[in-house]
Amino acid sequence: MASIPPVNCYITRDSSEGTVIEDTRPITAPQGPSIQVSYLYSALPTPSLVDDADLKHHLEVSKREHQVAFPAAGSSSAAILHFAPNPTGDEGFMHRTNTLDYIFVLEGEAAYSVNGGDHRVVNKGDVIVGRGGWHSWKNLSKTEGFKLATVAIGAEGATENFLEVPKP
């Protein structure tokens, strides 16, 4: 996959001097040959800001080998996904999670397809609210990357990092 600029993440925290901004470097991991994910933050249901409890949880999760891409019921996670240029026009893979996803297209153009045959071409500035349905992404550019930001909230009954793919 082509070199992708690092993502900077800034987290605010209250201190004895007032609110401060801390620079963090999200954990970035490849997801196959053409997708890279930068995990920004994860929180438990009803996050507590008292004594930085939510931040402590996030820092503990960030030490794990596998980050929380798809949260458990009531929990949330945020990430940025980078899709490499698609010179051969490869299709994306159909999958679903048990999450409510707020997806913001940051760069590029992609086809967002669902298993009922419907699809939309999405561009910078478009927003998708995904509600646990089957879907796939396909970068439509042979030469440019595609980037999106997402906030996922675990739906009722969701388990951490559940990802379903079609049965053969």
Side-chain angles (χ1 to χ4, degrees):
M1 184 166 180
S3 176
I4 294 174
V7 173
N8 296 309
C9 183
Y10 305 100
I11 299 174
T12 62
R13 181 179 59 78
D14 286 335
S15 74
S16 58
E17 295 90 38
T19 302
V20 296
I21 301 172
E22 295 183 358
D23 296 356
T24 65
R25 183 61 54 114
I27 303 234
T28 300
Q31 300 293 309
S34 63
I35 303 172
Q36 180 173 293
V37 180
S38 296
Y39 300 98
L40 304 175
Y41 205 80
S42 62
L44 293 169
T46 315
S48 173
L49 305 179
V50 176
D51 295 326
D52 291 330
D54 70 308
L55 181 58
K56 290 173 186 169
H57 166 76
H58 168 69
L59 294 173
E60 190 61 36
V61 167
S62 67
K63 294 176 187 173
R64 294 184 194 168
E65 182 179 341
H66 300 288
Q67 300 305 303
V68 178
F70 310 110
S75 297
S76 63
S77 66
I80 293 180
L81 284 73
H82 296 265
F83 294 76
N86 190 0
T88 58
D90 291 341
E91 297 294 326
F93 74 97
M94 193 63 66
H95 62 284
R96 74 174 169 181
T97 60
N98 193 10
T99 56
L100 173 64
D101 303 326
Y102 300 102
I103 304 162
F104 308 89
V105 178
L106 303 175
E107 295 176 3
E109 179 179 67
Y112 177 76
S113 301
V114 295
N115 68 334
D118 220 357
H119 78 276
R120 296 290 185 274
V121 173
V122 295
N123 296 282
K124 180 179 179 177
D126 288 344
V127 176
I128 296 167
V129 178
R131 301 179 57 252
W134 290 96
H135 64 280
S136 69
W137 294 97
K138 175 184 177 181
N139 184 355
L140 295 176
S141 176
K142 295 180 178 193
T143 59
E144 301 296 323
F146 172 72
K147 181 165 73 169
L148 61 83
T150 184
V151 175
I153 300 170
E156 184 177 351
T159 56
E160 189 173 290
N161 285 331
F162 171 79
L163 173 72
E164 185 176 9
V165 295
K167 293 180 170 86

